[in-house]
Amino acid sequence: MNRRFLALTAAAVSAAALTACTAGDQGAPALGSRPEPSGGAALPPATIELWHGFSAPSEVKAFEDAVAGFREKFPQITVKLTKGVQDDQITQAVRGGNPPDVAASFTTDNVAQWCRSGVFQDLTPVIRQDGVDLSVLPAAARSYTEFEGRRCTMPMLADAYGLYYNKALMKGEQPPKTMSELAELAKKLTVRDADGNIEVAGFIPSVQYYENSPSHLGPMVGAKWYNEDGTSAIGSDPAWKKLLTWQKELIDWYGYDKLDRFRKSLGDEWSAEHPFHKGKVAMVIDGEWRNAMIANDAADLDYGTAPMPVADDRPDLYGSGFTAGTVIGVPRGAAHPQHAWELVKHLTTDTGSLVTLSNALRNVPTTKAAMESPDLKKDANFQTFLDIFNHPRTSTLPPNVNSVFNQEAFTTFVVEWEKGSVTDLAAGLAEVDRRIDDKLKLSGG
């Protein structure tokens, strides 16, 4: 299940502390200190600790099952698992000189800070020593696990975003492939009462609705976040103007007040009362984990999945989408870094381990072999997200040392734009650029 709603809060708390991480590694062995391949089978006995954020009993069991294969391969290594750990706890442990040997995070938002500050060790030397072929990972997954040439994390599971549609509400209509088709169909499927109040929405375009963040919607138009020098490209890339203009026109068709009132009346995103489950919204953008939630909470729902609609003049983007996911690495100061690397390598490259995790958690496995494994449980609705994740034009939010701040600055602006409080879109986006670039200067670029 996606944890971004929890991880963003933790990332915001920990980001300010990351650059101050200087303690906790005195005398600790480092990865890559051996000139030969790590030779995991020859490692001496040791006990290592892995921290992860999973907490539900089924999730914890899935992690235990994935680690079981490692224990069989390396019986001399004892692995202790600690559940429910968030990013700020990892950072503070490194600063305090008591880090775990391995740590996993639900979000990619801290990867840039972790790589730059050295909170997580650079895995490049041991990847080279052991001949790990990173080409088995899609380009987007390789992108969100490194920063400034340092690969301080590896991808373990991924989220991919696509379109869910209610077949009964669609009444024979096919899922839209373009944004104009999406807007037209959203209007056609919307049901209002005699006073014009919304009873069923064809599609909710607001960024205040669940998974409709700018980062998730941007791939529909191929929008850029940053220029090559790291400065913000939001104001200069015409794709953002195209997306926000389309979005505002659809919001205005609904009527902002009516749409906002309807949105606030809907059930919780993470409960059985989700509006898609209840037939209150005909089409939604969501991650692959929604399939598992529908199976658990709305088993009778007749639905389908498809890639997100894209800009009418960018048919080449159709089939792609947004991706991010769980990352895992070896913190600085780990007592047993070579043992830790063997565990990281197992959890991120072993097909059986990835399939075990994917089958239990219903996230996308990150290697091609795992995606193609006959043991992977999948149907047509889940296959959609495997295809999106593996699409060459699928994109992610590029790593940035101010990732959380930048996303919040942009989203705050878009909310004001939706309300009609912004009269000059170009000037507003230029102001977002200024805020992001000023923050970049303060953080040292």
Side-chain angles (χ1 to χ4, degrees):
M1 180 188 295
N2 175 273
R3 287 297 195 284
R4 189 171 181 80
F5 68 111
L6 293 175
L8 273 174
T9 301
V13 171
S14 62
L18 288 171
T19 55
C21 292
T22 57
D25 62 340
Q26 299 300 317
L31 276 171
S33 58
R34 299 169 52 141
E36 72 278 2
S38 58
L43 288 171
T47 296
I48 62 176
E49 188 170 7
L50 187 160
W51 288 4
H52 64 81
F54 298 100
S55 56
S58 60
E59 297 172 342
V60 173
K61 182 182 183 301
F63 222 90
E64 287 280 1
D65 291 344
V67 172
F70 176 81
R71 291 186 174 118
E72 292 179 7
K73 188 176 181 180
F74 302 107
Q76 80 277 26
I77 302 177
T78 299
V79 181
K80 294 174 59 179
L81 301 178
T82 299
K83 66 180 181 179
V85 178
Q86 299 301 319
D87 286 9
D88 59 329
Q89 295 172 273
I90 299 170
T91 301
Q92 293 301 330
V94 173
R95 294 184 68 194
N98 189 33
D101 296 281
V102 180
S105 170
F106 287 125
T107 177
T108 62
D109 287 318
N110 278 331
V111 168
Q113 282 278 17
W114 279 336
C115 287
R116 173 177 284 187
S117 65
V119 167
F120 275 47
Q121 298 188 45
D122 188 1
L123 301 176
T124 304
V126 285
I127 288 172
R128 290 174 177 167
Q129 286 175 7
D130 289 4
V132 176
D133 181 10
L134 295 180
S135 69
V136 302
L137 305 170
R142 297 197 299 270
S143 170
Y144 65 65
T145 48
E146 67 176 347
F147 185 66
E148 296 178 338
R150 292 173 59 90
R151 178 169 299 285
C152 66
T153 62
M154 288 279 285
M156 188 171 66
L157 291 173
D159 293 322
Y161 289 76
L163 184 77
Y164 287 76
Y165 57 95
N166 184 313
K167 290 184 178 180
L169 296 179
M170 294 281 280
K171 298 178 180 178
E173 296 282 355
Q174 294 302 303
K177 292 186 176 181
T178 66
M179 290 165 58
S180 62
E181 289 176 356
L182 174 58
E184 181 180 354
L185 192 55
K187 296 174 184 178
K188 184 176 181 179
L189 300 180
T190 294
V191 178
R192 299 178 188 259
D193 64 16
D195 297 321
N197 297 309
I198 303 167
E199 295 183 335
V200 176
F203 177 81
I204 297 177
S206 170
V207 298
Q208 300 174 74
Y209 177 72
Y210 301 152
E211 297 298 324
N212 287 7
S213 66
S215 59
H216 297 168
L217 299 179
M220 296 170 68
V221 292
K224 288 174 51 180
W225 279 81
Y226 306 112
N227 298 307
E228 290 186 5
D229 61 359
T231 57
S232 177
I234 292 171
S236 59
D237 184 0
W240 286 117
K241 298 183 182 68
K242 179 187 302 182
L243 175 66
L244 294 181
T245 299
W246 171 88
Q247 177 220 28
K248 186 67 165 62
E249 288 175 351
L250 186 53
I251 287 175
D252 289 347
W253 179 83
Y254 278 110
Y256 177 82
D257 290 341
K258 286 183 170 61
L259 185 63
D260 194 52
R261 185 163 56 251
F262 176 73
R263 178 183 62 81
K264 290 177 178 177
S265 73
L266 299 174
D268 183 78
E269 179 180 7
W270 307 107
S271 76
E273 299 304 309
H274 189 287
F276 186 73
H277 299 184
K278 295 297 183 180
K280 300 294 289 183
V281 182
M283 299 177 288
V284 297
I285 289 174
D286 215 333
E288 78 295 330
W289 68 86
R290 181 60 53 191
N291 287 291
M293 298 190 75
I294 292 172
N296 290 334
D297 300 330
D300 294 332
L301 180 64
D302 188 13
Y303 75 101
T305 62
M308 295 189 296
V310 298
D312 292 57
D313 61 350
R314 292 297 308 273
D316 57 305
L317 293 176
Y318 189 71
S320 66
F322 177 85
T323 187
T326 300
V327 297
I328 188 169
V330 181
R332 186 178 71 236
H336 304 285
Q338 299 297 341
H339 299 70
W341 161 242
E342 291 297 337
L343 180 54
V344 169
K345 182 170 62 173
H346 177 83
L347 291 173
T348 59
T349 65
D350 180 77
T351 299
S353 173
L354 288 168
V355 169
T356 295
L357 286 169
S358 177
N359 285 343
L361 304 177
R362 304 317 291 148
N363 294 142
V364 175
T366 39
T367 67
K368 295 177 182 177
M371 284 188 280
E372 296 171 358
S373 171
D375 296 324
L376 183 65
K377 297 176 183 177
K378 54 188 176 183
D379 56 18
N381 285 332
F382 191 71
Q383 183 66 48
T384 297
F385 297 91
L386 299 178
D387 294 340
I388 290 170
F389 179 67
N390 206 34
H391 194 282
R393 291 196 179 276
T394 285
S395 59
T396 189
L397 185 65
N400 187 282
V401 291
N402 299 315
S403 183
V404 174
F405 173 88
N406 297 347
Q407 292 175 73
E408 291 178 346
F410 190 17
T411 302
T412 298
F413 166 76
V414 177
V415 171
E416 294 303 308
W417 164 250
E418 291 180 1
K419 293 178 180 178
S421 302
V422 177
T423 56
D424 188 331
L425 178 58
L429 292 176
E431 176 60 18
V432 173
D433 282 348
R434 186 195 65 77
R435 291 191 63 197
I436 291 175
D437 293 345
D438 286 350
K439 181 70 171 179
L440 184 67
K441 293 175 184 175
L442 290 174
S443 62

